[in-house]
Amino acid sequence: MRIDIKDILGKWKEYTLFNDMGMTVSVLDYGGIITEIMVPDRNGKFGNVVLGFKNYTEYEQNHSNYFGAIIGRVAGRIEDASFEINNQPYHLEANEGHHQLHGGSKGFHQVKWSVTPFQNKKAVGIRLDHKSIDGEGGYPGNIDITVTYTLTNDNKLTLEYSATSDKTTALALTNHSYFNLNGDLKNTVENHHVTIDSGHFVELNQELIPTGRLISVDETSFDFRGGRLLKEGFEDVSVQNKIAGKGYDHYFVFDHHLENNAVVQESSSGRIMTMKTDQPGMVMYTSNTLMDGLELKEGPSRRYLGVCLETQSSPASLHHEGFPSVILPAGECYQKQTVFTFGLQS
Ligand code: FUC
């Protein structure tokens, strides 16, 4: 195992983690962005399984896709860019209509994190630290945040998030990697077979804001408990698939009935990715609104090119009862982890 460090544009660093199986994970200090993950297909040929820009300047200039980045303070959409804690109102920057998306325009995806690489017998990784100041972007509390990326020889990539705030605040961190198990963007994710341990998802209105209702996945294209191809949702005529731009952009609440919270499989390459987390749910976004023609590492972007599994609590909890809370009480430790394991179909 080892870590390579590359200078990027004279202002950032890219850390590439290598395990003994040949798997690599590359991460920028800017945004904590995962720029590349190389894993083998069933013939032992390595390919990149995440979307990333060809030119690094694009990460700064074109951040509305949040490729691979750490998202915060609150991932997802906050209705009317405001919320209350103990009757105290907080007003945030509205960066999508009158709502806030993914922490606003100066969210954690735009921060240069301070990075400490580490290596021991079992693992190689980096620790990213950032301090967000009380009142920043309208959010209360000085928060110290640490995100750790760890790679082990069983092809597991573990993302750990920890934080503490000196005031009660809202916090929901996630990573916004777009996975494509074909490798090197050979195809869209329409033939990705996905299993999700979830019997309910959050209903969205036309502005993609949660209505406050949880819908049962029974008899819908949102029932991934037995596995299904993503294209079934791309082609489905249901209102919820259409609202999301003909696909998925919804929060799924986990049932904890299955071994993994999610499994993604792609049969032509034979690649499988399993995901396990202690988060209560995730947004699955299938790049329904990804624009054409961005210059990515292996070719131009297009719709449905990646699938994001954004493990997190739900910002809907700020305005409605019955959703996993994003409130972090003062002095308490926020501690979450998500593990992505890469393997091959048997
Ligand atoms: C996801 C979605 C949004 C948005 C963004 C790029 O997290 O929830 O709709 O398009 O990513």
Side-chain angles (χ1 to χ4, degrees):
M1 287 187 277
R2 66 172 212 272
I3 307 178
D4 278 2
I5 306 174
K6 238 188 358 199
D7 178 85
I8 304 290
L9 305 169
K11 55 179 177 181
W12 303 332
K13 286 199 167 73
E14 185 180 54
Y15 297 79
T16 300
L17 315 176
F18 293 74
N19 73 6
D20 294 337
M21 311 304 288
M23 176 175 169
T24 65
V25 177
S26 300
V27 184
L28 281 182
D29 51 5
Y30 180 72
I33 294 171
I34 297 177
T35 55
E36 190 182 85
I37 297 179
M38 298 292 287
V39 287
D41 67 9
R42 66 157 63 83
N43 300 315
K45 190 174 177 305
F46 281 75
N48 178 20
V49 292
V50 290
L51 273 58
F53 282 116
K54 186 170 183 194
N55 302 312
Y56 284 84
T57 48
E58 292 285 302
Y59 283 113
E60 206 169 22
Q61 284 155 14
N62 209 330
H63 47 79
S64 61
N65 301 292
Y66 306 89
F67 287 140
I70 298 170
I71 307 296
R73 293 191 182 193
V74 175
R77 290 180 173 83
I78 298 181
E79 184 174 1
D80 295 328
S82 65
F83 59 88
E84 284 185 5
I85 298 177
N86 301 329
N87 298 322
Q88 161 82 42
Y90 294 98
H91 298 284
L92 314 171
E93 174 209 2
N95 62 332
E96 193 184 71
H98 46 102
H99 311 298
Q100 179 171 93
L101 173 64
H102 291 335
S105 62
K106 296 201 176 64
F108 295 163
H109 61 291
Q110 298 269 294
V111 160
K112 189 172 158 187
W113 293 70
S114 109
V115 177
T116 316
F118 62 87
Q119 192 171 346
N120 55 46
K121 277 203 183 101
K122 290 194 180 137
V124 64
I126 53 172
R127 171 194 159 124
L128 301 94
D129 289 290
H130 175 60
K131 190 181 185 77
S132 177
I133 303 303
D134 184 24
E136 206 174 82
Y139 287 97
N142 292 295
I143 312 192
D144 289 301
I145 304 142
T146 300
V147 182
T148 310
Y149 295 74
T150 307
L151 177 65
T152 45
N153 278 333
D154 43 6
N155 285 1
K156 268 190 206 313
L157 172 65
T158 301
L159 275 51
E160 286 172 278
Y161 304 84
S162 64
T164 46
S165 171
D166 59 2
K167 283 188 188 159
T168 298
T169 192
L171 189 74
L173 304 173
T174 194
N175 175 274
H176 209 297
S177 288
Y178 292 65
F179 296 98
N180 183 324
L181 300 185
N182 288 293
D184 301 335
L185 307 182
K186 282 199 261 318
N187 199 350
T188 67
V189 292
E190 60 177 9
N191 290 324
H192 282 42
H193 179 275
V194 175
T195 310
I196 306 176
D197 181 20
S198 169
H200 290 87
F201 69 99
V202 172
E203 183 183 59
L204 299 178
N205 70 18
Q206 297 287 344
E207 295 181 330
L208 303 179
I209 299 296
T211 61
R213 271 188 67 210
L214 272 177
I215 306 184
S216 163
V217 300
D218 286 343
E219 321 266 308
T220 73
S221 59
F222 289 77
D223 189 354
F224 286 92
R225 291 171 296 187
R228 62 168 67 230
L229 294 178
L230 289 179
K231 72 169 161 209
E232 292 178 49
F234 303 165
E235 289 161 5
D236 201 271
V237 293
S238 77
V239 175
Q240 285 298 307
N241 285 128
K242 276 209 235 159
I243 277 180
K246 296 194 177 166
Y248 301 95
D249 194 356
H250 296 77
Y251 188 85
F252 290 80
V253 181
F254 296 135
D255 289 338
H256 308 290
H257 293 160
L258 303 177
E259 189 194 339
N260 294 295
N261 300 104
V263 180
V264 183
Q265 312 188 43
E266 197 286 306
S267 60
S268 66
S269 68
R271 290 189 181 95
I272 300 189
M273 180 180 80
T274 59
M275 189 278 286
K276 271 193 188 199
T277 183
D278 53 10
Q279 294 273 16
M282 68 169 186
V283 171
M284 180 168 75
Y285 170 60
T286 47
S287 334
N288 324 313
T289 54
L290 178 60
M291 59 285 260
D292 284 344
L294 297 171
E295 232 189 305
L296 306 184
K297 265 191 186 145
E298 300 86 2
S301 66
R302 61 197 149 120
R303 194 183 199 186
Y304 303 139
L305 201 55
V307 56
C308 304
L309 307 180
E310 302 161 50
T311 56
Q312 58 174 104
S313 294
S314 172
S317 61
L318 291 169
H319 297 100
H320 303 282
E321 298 291 320
F323 294 92
S325 172
V326 298
I327 297 298
L328 173 65
E332 272 188 29
C333 189
Y334 175 99
Q335 187 86 47
K336 305 282 179 196
Q337 74 161 33
T338 299
V339 185
F340 297 101
T341 306
F342 295 87
L344 293 170
Q345 290 176 315
S346 42

